[in-house]
Amino acid sequence: MTQGKGSDLAATSFRARRDVYSWGRVVRRTQRVAEPKFRDELPGLVAAARGPLLATGRRRSYGDSCLNSEGMTIDMRGVDRLLAFDAGTGVLQAEAGVSLSQIIAFAAPRGWFLPTTPGTRFVTLGGAVANDVHGKNHHRAGSFGNHVVSFDLLRRDGFQARVTKKSDPDLFAATIGGLGLTGVICTVELQLERIRGGFLDVETIPHANLAEFWELAEESAAGFEHTVSWIDAVARGANFGRGVFSRANWRPDDVIEIHGDDRTWKTLPFDAPSRLLNRYTVGGFNELYFRKCRAGAGKSVQHYAPFFYPLDAIHDWNRLYGSRGMFQYQCVVPPGAARAAIATLLREIVGEGQASFLAVLKTFGDKTSPGFLSFPRPGATLALDFPNSGQDTLALMSRLDSIVMEAGGALYPAKDGRLAPETFRRSFPKLQEFLRHKDERMESDFWRRVAG
Ligand SMILES: Cc1cc2nc3c(=O)[nH]c(=O)nc-3n(C[C@H](O)[C@H](O)[C@H](O)COP(=O)(O)OP(=O)(O)OC[C@H]3O[C@@H](n4cnc5c(N)ncnc54)[C@H](O)[C@@H]3O)c2cc1C
């Protein structure tokens, strides 16, 4: 392709958009976006793009890892075909823009499910690989990348290859959790998990404090595939550290029912007032929620959709945080330091009263994540939302960073929109190995901020 033709293609295919945000909606910078519908378009777009390039999925990352305001982005959502499936082995091949929702709708009736899933099914296969996402079954299944068989990668210099752990172990490890910076993932081959039916046996157990949480986490790891706890991140005094632990296993019966139409009518159509979520409204909500869970504690049967994806019931729920948006904070701290560090973090958070009702605590298992920049590692992970109150919120999160670093932990780039370069470097000891395989013409706003 000549330079002239490439430039024409860049001008006509990459459109300036001011309505493209990540999930936190804090960063609002114009993005130049191409929206291919066919995989065959990708080499031409990659060749034609000017400046740094980034492929993006459904922009369910909270901060700036899925934004590239100083270059161009390829929105992969239209490249979304299922390509091949082996019903005997459960290996599925699909284009990277396929959503996890599409995969479940196809695979569940055939007795297969995602090997692990984040708390929303509205993410793409490529996005799940590039962030090496994790789910409630990390202590059993490890992270998403542990189940990737191969992927087709396209780099800026035109290099295109199917990559497996065997064919190119380093490029494989750099791309899993590689934040989209090794090239465009065009297709992915994924090993699914066998299921009998679409329901889970769930146990809901309120805990009065953190000590009870640790006991529950320890006693549940061997017998339960899925564990997680909602934490009341504003409760003080005698209620400090209270929460609701849930643990579950797939039911052995063979009843399948697929989740409803993703184009649900339940959408938040406007931005809520920015100060709607404050210490008092969140405190009131948490009190009611805790009481409701305590009253309904015990065993129940739940469909996979409300169990794995309770937030997906309302589209655009992020607008609840108002036009200033929100930050999510997610860290992991290693097992030896976890109890003390989680208590210190929570004390700091409760003291500030800035947290929203969305706060979860979970223990990770010791299955090694395959990526050089994979976030999941043994220990405990705390994730919570903060409405964006400007400097106060940023200062709080910096104090939390210090506690996490002191404990030898790490921050999750998929959730981040503000961490310091030094914190990023300390979070990822294999950064140098990653850098050897990064495509130097792939970048994101996140990358320029932490490593530029
Ligand atoms: C409600 C909610 C719950 C969540 N729960 C969890 C959870 O439990 N566990 C967890 O781990 N995460 C969780 N997340 C985060 C989310 O799973 C990740 O941010 C995921 O990577 C988003 O995928 P996406 O398709 O939206 O990708 P984007 O956010 O658009 O992009 C994410 C990264 O992937 C890269 N990328 C995307 N597609 C490609 C491609 N084809 N080729 C190369 N690079 C690509 C991008 O460059 C970017 O670096 C949650 C998010 C939300 C909103």
Side-chain angles (χ1 to χ4, degrees), residues 243-423:
V244 180
F245 194 89
S246 65
R247 54 192 191 187
N249 286 317
W250 286 104
R251 269 177 85 73
D253 60 24
D254 58 0
V255 183
I256 285 282
E257 206 176 274
I258 298 309
H259 57 269
D261 189 344
D262 287 340
R263 292 161 300 169
T264 164
W265 54 270
K266 289 182 213 148
T267 287
L268 205 65
F270 51 82
D271 290 350
S274 280
R275 306 233 171 262
L276 177 70
L277 299 178
N278 56 54
R279 162 194 310 243
Y280 305 102
T281 53
V282 172
F285 175 89
N286 284 4
E287 183 63 38
L288 285 176
Y289 183 71
F290 185 76
R291 284 186 198 190
K292 183 175 165 267
C293 291
R294 199 168 47 192
K299 297 185 178 176
S300 61
V301 174
Q302 284 184 29
H303 186 252
Y304 67 78
F307 179 73
F308 290 122
Y309 313 116
L311 293 168
D312 286 350
I314 301 177
H315 282 206
D316 298 333
W317 59 262
N318 50 347
R319 301 184 79 173
L320 257 185
Y321 290 89
S323 57
R324 298 182 73 185
M326 47 105 163
F327 290 99
Q328 169 144 134
Y329 190 87
Q330 183 164 3
C331 63
V332 56
V333 280
R339 288 180 189 229
I342 295 291
T344 311
L345 287 165
L346 197 58
R347 224 171 280 121
E348 188 72 38
I349 292 162
V350 167
E352 283 286 328
Q354 287 194 48
S356 91
F357 45 82
L358 291 174
V360 296
L361 180 58
K362 157 148 191 72
T363 46
F364 279 154
D366 44 20
K367 196 159 183 176
T368 307
S369 298
F372 291 142
L373 297 187
S374 289
F375 165 75
R377 61 198 76 183
T381 181
L382 176 68
L384 72 169
D385 290 355
F386 293 113
N388 175 18
S389 301
Q391 202 45 48
D392 287 352
T393 317
L394 293 171
L396 168 62
M397 289 191 288
S398 294
R399 292 200 298 281
L400 301 181
D401 289 350
S402 306
I403 299 166
V404 172
M405 289 298 104
E406 179 80 8
L411 275 297
Y412 190 9
K415 307 294 181 74
D416 180 68
R418 48 90 241 161
L419 67 75
E422 176 60 13
T423 313

Side-chain angles (χ1 to χ4, degrees), residues 39-93:
R39 201 159 80 246
D40 289 356
E41 295 174 70
L42 296 173
L45 288 172
V46 166
R50 290 191 300 259
L53 179 68
L54 188 72
T56 61
R58 295 176 76 101
R59 296 192 193 87
R60 253 44 182 199
S61 298
Y62 281 70
D64 51 3
S65 65
C66 59
L67 299 174
N68 184 24
S69 50
E70 289 181 26
M72 298 186 167
T73 69
I74 300 179
D75 180 330
M76 292 291 288
R77 285 177 299 176
V79 184
D80 65 347
R81 284 158 200 85
L82 299 176
L83 299 171
F85 180 61
D86 183 328
T89 62
V91 174
L92 172 94
Q93 192 194 23

Side-chain angles (χ1 to χ4, degrees), residues 115-269:
T116 185
T117 175
T120 171
R121 61 182 184 272
F122 300 131
V123 311
T124 62
L125 190 50
V129 173
N131 271 326
D132 193 11
V133 299
H134 58 272
K136 294 173 179 175
N137 62 349
H138 182 273
H139 59 287
R140 289 283 187 86
S143 57
F144 202 85
N146 286 115
H147 308 275
V148 171
V149 179
S150 75
F151 49 80
D152 286 346
L153 190 69
L154 170 63
R155 287 166 70 93
R156 288 299 296 275
D157 61 4
F159 167 92
Q160 197 168 1
R162 175 149 310 169
V163 182
T164 69
K165 212 171 188 172
K166 251 194 175 156
S167 73
D168 194 337
D170 284 356
L171 189 56
F172 189 85
T175 303
I176 305 274
L179 303 168
L181 301 171
T182 60
V184 179
I185 301 166
C186 304
T187 69
V188 178
E189 233 184 331
L190 181 70
Q191 174 66 62
L192 301 179
E193 183 201 353
R194 254 267 180 244
I195 51 166
R196 297 268 316 262
F199 290 80
L200 296 107
D201 285 316
V202 182
E203 244 182 282
T204 307
I205 311 168
H207 54 87
N209 49 47
L210 286 177
E212 287 184 16
F213 164 81
W214 295 113
E215 257 175 53
L216 281 164
E218 221 167 272
E219 88 179 35
S220 307
F224 293 87
E225 195 175 344
H226 304 281
T227 64
V228 73
S229 189
W230 168 80
I231 288 286
D232 186 339
V234 296
R236 298 158 174 263
N239 290 330
F240 176 79
R242 74 176 175 180
V244 180
F245 194 89
S246 65
R247 54 192 191 187
N249 286 317
W250 286 104
R251 269 177 85 73
D253 60 24
D254 58 0
V255 183
I256 285 282
E257 206 176 274
I258 298 309
H259 57 269
D261 189 344
D262 287 340
R263 292 161 300 169
T264 164
W265 54 270
K266 289 182 213 148
T267 287
L268 205 65

